[in-house]
Amino acid sequence: MSEENNLHLPANDTLGDIIIAPEVIEVIIGIAASKVSGVYGMQGSFSENVAALFDRKSARHSKGVYLKTEEDGLAVDIYCYVEYGVSVPKVALEMQEKVKQQVLFMTDINLKEVNVHVEAVVPEKVTIPDFDDLMELEDDHEE
């Protein structure tokens, strides 16, 4: 990783520098976002999904999180799936608040923007009846 991508935090000159890799912030954002009630999961790119298959923890937690360094601060784009039946604006707003709060608490960095992109609504899981239950229903209809 190149040094220019790292974030330098203001520190006490007598103690030394504090440098945080962007991947650390992405992981913090991914964990905070995925813990919001109503979020089904995070959307990742093909390479992130492959890395998650091989159990790279950082790839699992930063999936769907894209950090951008802009002149006036850091911006983040979060791509997620929400559960069916939730208020999408409320979930997105809570995600924005939790992410900003957690990044500020853990790194002392105030994010300029938190953009939430809801990519899909995931329906409730429907239980598939087993074969015997179906046969009993058919027998009941024949009588």
Side-chain angles (χ1 to χ4, degrees), residues 22-31 34 41-66 79:
E23 292 82 7
V24 172
I25 297 171
E26 289 173 352
V27 170
I28 292 168
I29 292 168
I31 293 171
S34 64
M42 307 298 284
Q43 180 196 24
S45 66
F46 177 74
S47 61
E48 288 169 332
N49 291 335
V50 170
L53 286 174
F54 293 106
D55 201 33
R56 282 199 41 223
K57 289 181 183 175
S58 65
R60 266 198 329 251
H61 292 303
S62 65
K63 186 166 86 167
V65 176
Y66 302 95
Y79 294 84

Side-chain angles (χ1 to χ4, degrees), residues 38-102:
V39 173
Y40 180 82
M42 307 298 284
Q43 180 196 24
S45 66
F46 177 74
S47 61
E48 288 169 332
N49 291 335
V50 170
L53 286 174
F54 293 106
D55 201 33
R56 282 199 41 223
K57 289 181 183 175
S58 65
R60 266 198 329 251
H61 292 303
S62 65
K63 186 166 86 167
V65 176
Y66 302 95
L67 197 61
K68 296 181 287 190
T69 305
E70 297 180 355
E71 287 182 22
D72 52 345
L74 287 176
V76 64
D77 287 296
I78 301 170
Y79 294 84
C80 66
Y81 305 125
V82 296
E83 298 170 355
Y84 176 80
V86 300
S87 169
V88 175
K90 285 182 182 177
V91 170
L93 184 60
E94 184 179 348
M95 188 183 300
Q96 288 173 318
E97 292 169 352
K98 295 266 173 135
V99 164
K100 275 192 98 156
Q101 179 183 49
Q102 198 62 29

Side-chain angles (χ1 to χ4, degrees), residues 92-142:
L93 184 60
E94 184 179 348
M95 188 183 300
Q96 288 173 318
E97 292 169 352
K98 295 266 173 135
V99 164
K100 275 192 98 156
Q101 179 183 49
Q102 198 62 29
V103 170
L104 182 62
F105 173 73
M106 292 184 72
T107 66
D108 207 27
I109 294 172
N110 195 6
L111 295 173
K112 182 187 99 163
E113 342 180 301
V114 178
N115 304 307
V116 177
H117 304 266
V118 178
E119 295 293 307
V121 174
V122 179
E124 297 175 11
K125 289 188 177 181
V126 177
T127 56
I128 301 172
D130 69 1
F131 184 73
D132 294 333
D133 291 340
L134 289 174
M135 293 309 291
E136 286 177 22
L137 287 173
E138 189 174 292
D139 290 341
D140 290 342
H141 287 293
E142 290 176 359

